[in-house]
Amino acid sequence: MEYQFRRNRLEGTVFAEFSMDHEVLGRWFAEELGDDNSRANHILTQIIMIKAGSQNHWRDIGADLTIDIDSEQVRVFANVIDFEEDYDLDEAMNLYDAESESYCGLEDFESVLQSWLAFINQK
């Protein structure tokens, strides 16, 4: 999983670009997490608790994207795809899943989150 972080110095906004099959992670970092240092640290604390076995699972439902963390992996997905009904779509009409949902290992995500924290704390 490759990624790159950027900042628009004029507007102060932050961006994250991830490799194919992980694009939604970039949206989550930029749009849901942004430069919120305390929230990023809170998520790191949740990861530490999961790795220590004091909790099994943590979920945060954002405005457009949800992050789901367990002891093995992290799932980020668009809120609109977390519904019970299955729709039979023509093959050509299927959603491009990498833009709506992505999985990565817990350790990989923790490393990226630490890199994000270092990035947003650079001024």
Side-chain angles (χ1 to χ4, degrees):
M1 173 174 60
E2 295 180 21
Y3 57 89
Q4 179 181 19
F5 303 140
R6 295 178 304 149
R7 180 184 310 273
N8 179 328
R9 299 236 183 246
L10 295 174
E11 297 176 3
T13 53
V14 289
F15 301 95
E17 294 179 4
F18 280 74
S19 57
M20 188 176 289
D21 294 333
H22 294 98
E23 293 98 337
V24 73
L25 287 172
R27 283 189 51 219
W28 182 82
F29 274 96
E31 298 172 16
E32 298 289 346
L33 187 57
D35 60 359
D36 189 341
N37 199 354
S38 63
R39 186 166 176 221
N41 280 311
H42 175 72
I43 296 168
L44 276 176
T45 300
Q46 299 306 308
I47 291 171
I48 290 167
M49 292 172 63
I50 288 170
K51 288 172 75 173
S54 58
Q55 75 182 41
N56 297 327
H57 178 261
W58 183 79
R59 175 181 267 195
D60 184 59
I61 302 171
D64 294 318
L65 300 168
T66 295
I67 184 168
D68 212 13
I69 302 174
D70 65 30
S71 62
E72 294 181 13
Q73 68 184 7
V74 174
R75 176 183 176 221
V76 174
F77 58 94
N79 294 342
V80 296
I81 67 168
D82 194 33
F83 50 81
E84 296 295 325
E85 296 181 46
D86 288 328
Y87 294 96
D88 292 326
L89 298 175
D90 185 312
E91 186 72 28
M93 297 297 289
N94 283 336
L95 298 173
Y96 181 53
D97 290 340
E99 292 179 354
S100 302
E101 178 177 36
S102 181
Y103 293 87
C104 70
L106 181 61
E107 288 79 17
D108 290 339
F109 182 81
E110 181 180 21
S111 176
V112 173
L113 184 56
Q114 290 170 341
S115 295
W116 181 257
L117 263 169
F119 168 73
I120 63 173
N121 287 318
Q122 293 174 348
K123 297 295 175 179

